[in-house]
Amino acid sequence: MADVVIPEFMDEPTAQSLIAAFDVHWDRTLWSRRAELLERVRNARALIVRNDTLVNTELLDAAPRLQVVARMGVGLDTIDVEACAAHGVEVVPSIGANAVSVAEYVIATAMILLRGPAYYATSDVAGGIWDRPRFAGGREIAGRTMGIVGFGSIGQTVGDKARAMGMDVIAYDAVMPDTAAAWSKARRVDLETLLAQSDVISLHCPKLPQTIDLIDADAFAQMKSGAVLINSARGGIVNEAACAAALKSGQISGAALDTLDVEPIDATAQAIFRDVPNLILSPHIAGVTQEANRRIAEVAADTVRRVLGAAQPIPA
Ligand SMILES: O=C(O)[C@H](O)COP(=O)(O)O
């Protein structure tokens, strides 16, 4: 029984570097075979996960030697952090390691949304239709206001890139102290002000009971007419029916949802999003690039080296 269990996808060279140094069991689909997973973690001291492995009391009870859960990514919705603490298991997300990927997705998406239909002209143009009035007339990102909800490492990286594009940056964060250095990078506002003043609203807060439906019909009604909304944080923070209604009514001019309430998308959401204008949907890939995959894996591998390197071997 292995010391290190990796039940999900991991950047190959980084996984191989661990395999060369430790007793590792790596199986990209093990997360989906729960009974086998519970058996495999029996002697594990380190577990490396993305977001498919449910780390709960059942798993922790099955892994009495576990010292650390290294999360390749930042969202902790599949990890019972309190149960880990109660079992003396450290949880280490790879904070910041996919921030650039998410931030690039946000800026690119904001620019596409502000241009309206401009990037959707391919079939018309290739088919001989040269309709400049229909595809021209979009808006520039420079000089507009970026409103960031949740000003942690990803939110701050989005802010840096937005500023580099000539945007004004405002941010709302429910928990960050006023004294945090991050506030030198953005004007701190309350949520109502952010909704009213932003041309682009980008969400980077965790999904918590208090952030579910944070962006509901009332929030859409408070947004500046023609604003665009980007959710690359977690599904459920945006009320999907309210978002579709705001796009259809023209209250907002565009939205990009990389994360959905139910993933993969279910029939309810498919019906909600049918024929909604200027909507970009993607399957939770904003933070998933080749570079980010490498960096989050390296953070996880470093965590394993730190914990297992320092720990005394436990007799079998
Ligand atoms: O939480 C994160 O870091 C992102 O959502 C990407 O993580 P995932 O690909 O494991 O969902």
Side-chain angles (χ1 to χ4, degrees):
M1 285 293 156
D3 242 2
V4 181
V5 174
I6 312 170
E8 302 196 40
F9 168 82
M10 185 173 188
D11 170 67
E12 174 89 31
T14 314
Q16 292 301 344
S17 76
L18 286 177
I19 289 167
F22 298 99
D23 178 6
V24 177
H25 181 77
W26 180 30
D27 178 338
R28 293 170 181 78
T29 60
L30 179 57
W31 65 271
S32 64
R33 303 188 305 280
R34 187 74 178 173
E36 185 186 340
L37 171 66
L38 296 183
E39 182 56 26
R40 292 276 182 195
V41 294
R42 194 151 46 90
N43 278 353
R45 290 189 287 150
L47 178 67
I48 301 181
V49 299
R50 285 190 77 111
N51 74 353
D52 281 321
T53 308
L54 191 60
V55 181
N56 58 6
T57 301
E58 177 192 43
L59 183 142
L60 295 164
D61 286 344
R65 295 177 169 182
L66 196 63
Q67 292 172 250
V68 68
V69 176
R71 159 72 166 116
M72 295 184 288
V74 294
L76 297 177
D77 12 357
T78 48
I79 301 176
D80 186 336
V81 178
E82 282 177 16
C84 286
H87 283 75
V89 174
E90 191 185 356
V91 177
V92 185
S94 36
I95 303 282
N98 57 13
V100 170
S101 301
V102 177
E104 289 187 358
Y105 164 91
V106 169
I107 298 298
T109 308
M111 293 174 82
I112 291 169
L113 291 171
L114 288 170
R115 280 292 179 109
Y119 291 94
Y120 305 115
T122 307
S123 61
D124 275 27
V125 172
I129 299 167
W130 196 259
D131 188 350
R132 294 184 74 205
R134 178 164 168 233
F135 293 107
R139 292 165 289 166
E140 296 177 352
I141 201 171
R144 300 199 176 272
T145 298
M146 168 69 82
I148 299 169
V149 177
F151 207 46
S153 65
I154 295 177
Q156 290 172 45
T157 307
V158 170
D160 292 344
K161 296 198 181 300
R163 222 175 6 264
M165 298 302 296
M167 300 186 82
D168 291 324
V169 179
I170 60 177
Y172 162 73
D173 191 295
V175 294
M176 187 175 277
D178 278 336
T179 50
W183 294 119
S184 64
K185 299 173 164 195
R187 182 162 56 89
R188 184 171 206 169
V189 293
D190 59 25
L191 184 60
E192 291 68 31
T193 305
L194 184 140
L195 295 173
Q197 294 187 357
S198 301
D199 299 293
V200 179
I201 297 170
S202 192
L203 307 181
H204 300 288
C205 54
K207 182 176 185 176
L208 300 169
Q210 53 273 36
T211 61
I212 289 175
D213 273 352
L214 185 70
I215 307 299
D216 58 6
D218 183 47
F220 281 108
Q222 293 178 58
M223 288 179 194
K224 207 176 190 179
S225 174
V228 302
L229 171 74
I230 302 170
N231 184 13
S232 58
R234 280 293 179 271
I237 299 173
V238 173
N239 182 292
E240 292 170 354
C243 183
L247 286 163
K248 282 182 173 165
S249 72
Q251 167 61 25
I252 63 170
S253 67
L257 304 178
D258 181 58
T259 55
L260 295 179
D261 204 2
V262 178
E263 297 179 3
I265 189 168
D266 65 1
T268 307
Q270 286 181 49
I272 286 172
F273 292 130
R274 196 165 298 129
D275 300 326
V276 172
N278 209 15
L279 171 67
I280 296 174
L281 297 176
S282 50
H284 202 144
I285 45 70
V288 188
T289 57
Q290 295 173 26
E291 294 84 354
N293 277 340
R294 171 64 58 86
R295 283 193 297 265
I296 59 176
E298 282 172 357
V299 172
D302 283 347
T303 299
V304 169
R305 288 185 201 107
R306 170 176 62 79
V307 174
L308 267 59
Q312 292 299 314
I314 298 165

